[in-house]
Amino acid sequence: MGTVASFHAHLSASELRCHTSLQQPLALGVAVASSHQATTLFVPENGFTSLNLPLHPNRAGALSTRSTHPETFHRVNTLLHTLRLTVSVTNPFADYTKGEEMRLVADSQPPAGWEHTAGLTVSCSKLDGARIKGGNSTLNCGLCYACVTRRGAFIGAEIDDSTIYLSDNLTGTARSELLERRYSDRAAISYATARGIDDDAIDAGTWPPDADLDAISDLAERGLAELGKVDLT
């Protein structure tokens, strides 16, 4: 077995909106893996987010990229094979929701204090709190799609969430402004959790030849269940 290289792309909010956001770091990851004679490059992301399924008919996707979508990795691996490179790219958490990922960590005897460390990380895709009076751009907003996925993961994994969310800190007109700024995300999430994601939307997607659409549908339902646990008001 070849050496296994691990790679986790940390993307800024602006990069998350760019369809090519992963190309450069992925290329660098493949280059590093090849230089170490590694055969597998891990790009970890929760499977539900990677699916990028439409939450509402007027949204082509969850407003995130397809950087870790199964079809993306299939095409990347086809390209690497064509180039006669021995590295393959894989997502070790492709079959898990974010909450299931966190539960895996909790059940693996992690170092003491890991929950606190998890609460200090940043998932927010907006980080525009400084534009709101009394706000803070360094805090997870708590109401964008990425933050709701994060909050649902803590709840689903039954892990105390020590994250300081902007939505919990603001009051009055400032909080009302944040709610208005996140109206699109909140409405789409509410719609999806109430109605589910149509299997036709999954069937119409682009998937690797060996994709199990029933398993993908089940993953989507579990991911939506986590989102549904979050208070969006």
Side-chain angles (χ1 to χ4, degrees):
M1 295 178 61
T3 304
V4 175
S6 181
F7 172 73
H8 191 179
H10 182 73
L11 305 176
S12 68
S14 60
E15 287 174 318
L16 284 169
R17 299 185 183 91
C18 178
H19 288 287
T20 59
S21 62
L22 193 65
Q23 289 183 2
Q24 183 177 17
L26 186 59
L28 292 173
V30 169
V32 172
S34 297
S35 70
H36 288 277
Q37 290 76 52
T39 57
T40 304
L41 179 65
F42 288 147
V43 184
E45 176 60 277
N46 79 83
F48 175 65
T49 296
S50 294
L51 295 179
N52 189 243
L53 295 169
L55 300 179
H56 190 278
N58 68 1
R59 291 166 70 123
L63 291 192
S64 59
T65 71
R66 291 180 175 244
S67 297
T68 57
H69 191 277
E71 176 66 12
T72 300
F73 282 4
H74 170 66
R75 296 189 183 193
V76 168
N77 285 327
T78 298
L79 174 62
L80 295 176
H81 178 75
T82 301
L83 295 174
R84 298 182 179 180
L85 295 176
T86 59
V87 180
S88 64
V89 178
T90 187
N91 176 6
F93 301 113
D95 297 328
Y96 298 91
T97 67
K98 196 177 187 74
E100 291 166 353
E101 270 187 313
M102 183 167 283
R103 191 66 251 171
L104 285 174
V105 173
D107 293 340
S108 65
Q109 297 182 333
W114 75 273
E115 302 99 326
H116 176 70
T117 300
L120 296 175
T121 61
V122 176
S123 302
C124 189
S125 62
K126 307 292 186 182
L127 294 176
D128 58 355
R131 299 178 183 177
I132 301 174
K133 185 175 181 179
N136 185 330
S137 62
T138 68
L139 297 180
N140 289 287
C141 76
L143 292 173
C144 68
Y145 175 71
C147 280
V148 173
T149 302
R150 172 197 180 98
R151 292 168 62 193
F154 275 100
I155 297 171
E158 299 181 335
I159 301 298
D160 289 337
D161 187 359
S162 61
T163 306
I164 300 174
Y165 291 106
L166 184 63
S167 57
D168 292 334
N169 277 10
L170 296 178
T171 58
T173 56
R175 193 171 194 283
S176 295
E177 181 179 347
L178 177 63
L179 287 169
E180 180 62 27
R181 284 175 175 267
R182 300 296 180 267
Y183 175 80
S184 177
D185 282 17
R186 293 188 301 115
I189 293 169
S190 295
Y191 181 93
T193 54
R195 302 197 180 194
I197 292 177
D198 193 337
D199 282 342
D200 288 343
I202 296 176
D203 293 341
T206 305
W207 306 99
D210 60 348
D212 184 339
L213 297 188
D214 288 334
I216 289 171
S217 179
D218 183 64
L219 173 61
E221 288 183 9
R222 301 192 322 265
L224 286 178
E226 291 181 3
L227 297 185
K229 297 176 184 294
V230 180
D231 182 2
L232 301 177
T233 61

